[in-house]
Amino acid sequence: MTNTSPASSAQPSSIVQEQLRTELNQFAELQKKQFSAHIPVTELVQARSAFIDELLQRLWLQFGLNKVSELSLIAVGGYGRGELHPLSDVDILLLSQNELDDATGKTVSEFLTLLWDLKLEVGHSVRTLEDCIKIGLEDLTVATNLQESRLLCGSSETYQHLEETVNSGKFWPSEQFYRAKVEEQRARHARYHDTTYNLEPDIKSSPGGLRDIHTLSWVARRHFGATNLLEMSRFGFLTDAEYRELAECQDSLWRIRFALHSELRRYDNRLTFEHQASVAHQLGYTGEGNRPVEMMMKEFYRTLRRVSELNKMLLQLFDQAILNNGLETEATPLDDDFQIRGHLIEATKPALFQARPETILDMFLHVARNAEIEGIAAPTLRQLRTARRRLNRFLVDIPAAREKFMELVREPNVLSKAFRLMHRHGVLSAYLPQWSQIVGQMQFDLFHVYTVDEHSIRLLKNLKKFSDPENRQRHPICCEIYPRIAKKELLILAAIFHDIAKGRGGDHSELGATEAYDFCIQHGLSRPEANLVKWLVNQHLLMSVTAQRRDIYDPEVVAEFAKEVRDEERLDHLICLTVADICATNQELWNSWKRTLLAELYYSTQKALRRGLENPPDVRERIRHNQQMASAILRSHNFTQREIDVLWQRFKADYFLRHTHKQIAWHAEAILTNDDPEMPLILLSKKPTRGGTEVFVYCQDKTKLFAIVVSELDKKNLSVHDAQIMTSKDGYALDTFMVLDPSGKALSEGRHNSVRRALIKALTQMKSERKKKRPPRKLLHFNVKTRVDFLPTKTGKKTMMELVALDMPGLLARVGSVFARQNISLQAAKITTIGERAEDFFILVNEEGSQLTDEQQQQLKTALIERLDAAR
């Protein structure tokens, strides 16, 4: 290679370097101001690319690299497209025809070092033309970057050789490139669980994100030679309306990405909780509390959905053009309006949906009835999109459409694919005005993983699972009940409406119930049917709240719940809706503990309804039954009846009411055989109890006992979900804690001894050295106001208290320490974590064993709020 080696002395001085840094910082600040002044983001992104072009060209001359013949400086990737966001990588290729000599190599190294010193995020490669082509043939990412290359400065001849090779048919043939890009997109979507509705989405890589737009551009460029979206429309594979929509979506995503990069110090495209509020503020969203974030994310998710729909449609067209050379497979008629081609349904008439909008519902009836149909053909989808835009009223206002909708919800296989496709392609929004309001509606918390619309679609999908015997182990009651529900359409309608009023203010259950009733009457259902749907929507949280946040072993709680439910038909519908709702809210929520709680409430209520609400259970009979059964077990283990009676005389009646006979026998045997009565006795159930591990604590009662136990369990990374706190007549604690490990399962037996030793040590010393845990990063961005409420009771013997607080590490231990200082005894606790919120229920008595006075309640409330707020 003949060249004139540049002089290393061309390295800019420290003064010049500082000047360059100042220029970069000033330009960044200018762009922030321009962004705030609503300068179009397209101009800003292109301006940054041009600014970096000019900077690199100046440095190229400064280092004398212009004197090196056959050496090119080439922009690749996003920078090659002329698009740079504030923190985007500056991807460059230094390309030569032959290997660089040592002097030139040293100068190139100094050139790159300076770029890093200037704090530019430079992605670089230094390659010969031969190596570059070889690597490009082997690596899809490199091949894609080369396809978007742009000469900045240096040898145009060297760059021309690269361009000729990359654009030749032998370098990644169109069919091979298309298949690879589709597979690359599939794998990328899988990393995000194939949903656009992630809590902390990636603007670039999430399904429907910028990468999906890039994929269309890359395929079009490779096959048609189209260098941008506009050129794609000129080849006829993108209509003018679709081009404008994609451009609008890209602009929306760019604005969010630009605002995010303005907030960050290091490159990232994840819209995390930490930055969602500030990005929303930058973009001009206003409102109380989390309203700005929810508004921004609603628009964001809707944009992702639009991109995703266009991406799938256009890739389908590319598939036909690239893989099938434009040829179509033979179609099979379904009726006068529709046919099936391959696994896709298509309309037989070009303006079918505009002429008769109700036929949109006919298409989804075919989807529900024909298992072979997997989706909608691209031309039909394009027709549907046009008809959707041109509708001058909602489909629900068309009588023929209402008839077809009810025919659809009564179709046995409607839950398999039809509703999911109707939602994906905007048909539910076109049918029902209320549905259009919840599309993209998120809630700024850690509990609701999905947007309201996505959650509702997943709920419908979960109902379908209850008809599959393979799910019987996971959902035994629902798999038994759901198949025998006669009018499943009522449950489906309740599922559609259960959250439909979210985001509108007020009680979403009440608002949704009223709208559901009107919808049912409008669609020809009888008043009893409409009333059942209305009740289900209004009370869709009742069973979940009762099971998880009330004492379901209290006959009064079951009786109150049964009075609200009234009959077994409602009970059967409600448990199916409840379980499907929980599983659709967050995949990590459902566990054997919740399954057991709901099952116990279901069967207790069923017994109450069959017995008659006017015939309450005989509590004394239940106590006698438990004692007799437990006594039989103990006698079979060679204990005498006298030994058993002497022990049980120390226990209060409530103990025998709130434990099963097997638990009672297990506790009694351990106490009767305990060698050292002075030492705390700790038992852990070997088999899962109600889906968790039961930890039984028996020792002399002390005021701080609850706080010490929960503190030790917290140190062992165990979560307490339920606690029964009891004291014998002679002052011994008989406390039961139900714990789960971080995966929501019972504790492995290998850990039992470690937990037992830790509890014995802490209770012997009556102190727990609580390790200060950092709250998880995500919790830092949520402000949960501590709230203490006291609930009314019928008997007036105990106090029921609800606590809502940030779910910080050691929360229960702090609560327990407040109870101890206030001389308040805890009798039972239900611990519920809902995302970042703890919603806990406690049954309390004062020193005299009575209900807390108004003054004691106020003192406790003040102490809890002060203690928990100080711990944040």
Side-chain angles (χ1 to χ4, degrees), residues 140-392:
L140 178 64
T141 301
V142 172
T144 306
N145 282 342
L146 292 177
Q147 187 174 273
E148 298 181 306
S149 63
R150 179 169 58 90
L151 180 64
L152 295 172
C153 49
S155 171
S156 57
E157 183 182 349
T158 302
Y159 176 69
Q160 190 63 36
H161 285 311
L162 175 69
E163 280 282 273
E164 289 172 358
T165 305
V166 168
N167 291 331
S168 70
K170 294 181 180 179
F171 183 86
W172 282 92
S174 177
E175 180 178 331
Q176 181 187 357
F177 186 79
Y178 169 76
R179 290 184 189 278
K181 277 298 170 187
V182 169
E183 175 56 28
E184 181 183 69
Q185 178 173 289
R186 187 204 60 75
R188 174 168 50 80
H189 286 185
R191 290 199 299 273
Y192 295 91
H193 308 291
D194 291 304
T195 179
T196 59
Y197 305 109
N198 291 293
L199 280 174
E200 297 183 305
D202 189 299
I203 302 166
K204 188 175 178 181
S205 299
S206 287
L210 289 167
R211 270 287 179 256
D212 281 12
I213 299 177
H214 296 160
T215 298
L216 295 175
S217 298
W218 292 329
V219 171
R221 181 188 286 257
R222 192 75 212 144
H223 188 69
F224 305 111
T227 58
N228 54 43
L229 296 176
L230 182 59
E231 286 190 16
M232 282 174 62
S233 66
R234 291 172 181 164
F235 280 94
F237 279 83
L238 189 66
T239 66
D240 288 343
E242 289 159 359
Y243 161 71
R244 287 192 299 272
E245 184 173 358
L246 268 181
E248 179 186 320
C249 289
Q250 179 175 267
D251 186 78
S252 177
L253 295 175
W254 272 10
R255 289 180 68 245
I256 295 175
R257 191 184 186 202
F258 197 98
L260 175 64
H261 280 202
S262 299
E263 292 286 324
L264 301 175
R265 291 187 177 181
R266 292 191 175 185
Y267 176 83
D268 196 353
N269 291 303
R270 291 174 303 143
L271 198 51
T272 61
F273 291 123
E274 182 179 0
H275 298 291
Q276 285 177 8
S278 56
V279 169
H281 176 74
Q282 272 201 70
L283 295 174
Y285 292 94
T286 58
E288 294 293 322
N290 297 323
R291 183 66 178 156
V293 171
E294 293 182 0
M295 289 170 64
M296 176 187 73
M297 296 304 291
K298 187 172 190 174
E299 290 302 314
F300 175 71
Y301 288 130
R302 288 183 173 196
T303 299
L304 294 186
R305 192 182 67 79
R306 292 164 71 194
V307 171
S308 186
E309 183 179 56
L310 282 166
N311 172 274
K312 286 181 171 61
M313 182 186 78
L314 293 169
L315 285 181
Q316 192 187 124
L317 291 171
F318 289 155
D319 190 287
Q320 183 179 331
I322 297 171
L323 301 185
N324 298 319
N325 296 317
L327 301 176
E328 293 184 336
T329 56
E330 190 174 342
T332 303
L334 293 170
D335 59 19
D336 290 342
D337 295 326
F338 296 97
Q339 60 191 20
I340 183 172
R341 194 186 301 275
H343 295 287
L344 302 175
I345 189 170
E346 58 183 27
T348 57
K349 303 177 182 71
L352 175 66
F353 300 142
Q354 291 184 60
R356 290 182 287 134
E358 67 274 12
T359 56
I360 295 173
L361 279 300
D362 285 328
M363 179 168 66
F364 290 99
L365 272 166
H366 283 301
V367 172
R369 291 167 179 167
N370 194 325
E372 291 181 27
I373 300 173
E374 295 178 358
I376 304 171
T380 302
L381 181 54
R382 185 171 266 161
Q383 185 191 150
L384 173 62
R385 287 167 52 80
T386 301
R388 217 170 55 199
R389 284 195 302 270
R390 295 181 181 177
L391 276 174
N392 55 13

Side-chain angles (χ1 to χ4, degrees), residues 412-413 415-416 461-472 478-480 482-483 488:
N413 292 317
L415 298 179
S416 297
K461 184 178 178 182
N462 288 335
L463 290 177
K464 173 65 177 175
K465 290 179 180 178
F466 298 155
S467 60
D468 186 348
E470 289 185 6
N471 294 308
R472 184 171 289 275
C478 294
C479 284
E480 178 187 341
Y482 182 76
K488 294 182 177 61

Side-chain angles (χ1 to χ4, degrees), residues 446-464:
L446 293 175
F447 180 63
H448 297 91
V449 172
Y450 307 106
T451 55
V452 179
D453 54 326
E454 178 71 6
H455 160 74
S456 299
I457 290 298
R458 286 173 179 264
L459 193 161
L460 290 166
K461 184 178 178 182
N462 288 335
L463 290 177
K464 173 65 177 175

Side-chain angles (χ1 to χ4, degrees), residues 532-810:
L532 175 57
V533 175
K534 178 182 179 179
W535 182 84
L536 285 169
V537 174
N538 195 24
Q539 300 296 340
H540 72 272
L541 297 173
L542 176 66
M543 194 168 198
S544 177
V545 169
T546 304
Q548 297 181 71
R549 289 157 56 187
R550 294 291 181 267
D551 182 10
I552 61 173
Y553 305 106
D554 183 343
E556 286 185 14
V557 171
V558 175
E560 284 298 312
F561 177 74
K563 283 179 185 176
E564 182 60 52
V565 173
R566 288 201 327 218
D567 59 55
E568 286 193 52
E569 181 187 29
R570 281 184 170 189
L571 181 64
D572 287 349
H573 283 74
L574 184 58
I575 192 168
C576 289
L577 183 62
T578 300
V579 173
D581 190 15
I582 292 172
C583 294
T585 300
N586 187 326
Q587 291 178 335
E588 298 176 2
L589 284 180
W590 187 250
N591 53 36
S592 53
W593 166 250
K594 287 186 175 67
R595 181 177 66 225
T596 305
L597 284 179
L598 287 166
E600 290 184 359
L601 179 58
Y602 174 84
Y603 288 121
S604 297
T605 307
Q606 188 184 63
K607 284 180 184 177
L609 293 170
R610 289 179 178 179
R611 186 175 56 241
L613 298 179
E614 69 281 0
N615 299 313
D618 188 334
V619 173
R620 287 174 296 181
E621 176 58 35
R622 186 187 296 180
I623 291 172
R624 282 195 297 271
H625 172 76
N626 282 343
Q627 287 178 331
Q628 289 168 0
M629 297 291 287
S631 180
I633 294 173
L634 290 167
R635 288 198 306 273
S636 71
H637 293 177
N638 299 320
F639 292 99
T640 66
Q641 190 62 49
R642 176 169 174 73
E643 288 176 307
I644 298 167
D645 291 342
V646 167
L647 174 64
W648 285 354
Q649 285 171 7
R650 298 169 49 211
F651 297 173
K652 299 172 185 175
D654 211 29
Y655 170 84
F656 299 101
L657 181 65
R658 291 177 175 276
H659 293 87
T660 67
H661 67 275
K662 289 183 180 180
Q663 286 175 304
I664 295 167
W666 178 47
H667 297 166
E669 182 170 0
I671 294 170
L672 290 169
T673 56
N674 186 22
D675 295 331
D676 190 353
E678 300 301 316
M679 288 288 288
L681 175 65
I682 308 295
L683 304 179
L684 284 87
S685 58
K686 291 184 179 179
K687 292 182 179 179
T689 305
R690 305 208 305 269
T693 296
E694 178 184 350
V695 179
F696 178 69
V697 177
Y698 174 80
C699 63
Q700 285 194 328
D701 195 23
K702 301 284 177 63
T703 54
K704 292 184 179 180
L705 190 143
F706 174 78
I708 290 170
V709 171
V710 295
S711 179
E712 284 300 312
L713 294 172
D714 181 61
K715 281 164 62 176
K716 293 292 182 182
N717 209 20
L718 299 174
S719 56
V720 177
H721 284 253
D722 186 276
Q724 294 287 344
I725 310 300
M726 297 186 179
T727 311
S728 67
K729 296 173 185 176
D730 56 347
Y732 273 76
L734 300 161
D735 297 349
T736 299
F737 300 85
M738 297 301 304
V739 301
L740 279 73
D741 69 12
S743 65
K745 298 179 180 178
L747 179 63
S748 64
E749 196 171 343
R751 294 189 62 197
H752 284 198
N753 284 336
S754 169
V755 172
R756 185 181 294 109
R757 285 194 301 268
L759 286 172
I760 290 173
K761 180 180 177 182
L763 291 171
T764 302
Q765 299 174 351
M766 282 312 292
K767 66 178 182 180
S768 175
E769 296 177 1
R770 186 163 49 84
K771 293 180 181 177
K772 193 166 185 180
K773 290 185 182 178
R774 278 188 177 184
R777 177 187 63 84
K778 290 181 179 180
L779 287 182
L780 300 175
H781 313 298
F782 294 94
N783 181 26
V784 179
K785 185 179 180 181
T786 305
R787 197 179 77 231
V788 178
D789 295 315
F790 295 96
L791 308 177
T793 60
K794 283 194 171 183
T795 62
K797 294 178 180 178
K798 301 168 185 176
T799 294
M800 295 192 297
M801 185 191 85
E802 275 191 330
L803 169 70
V804 175
L806 184 69
D807 184 36
M808 66 188 84

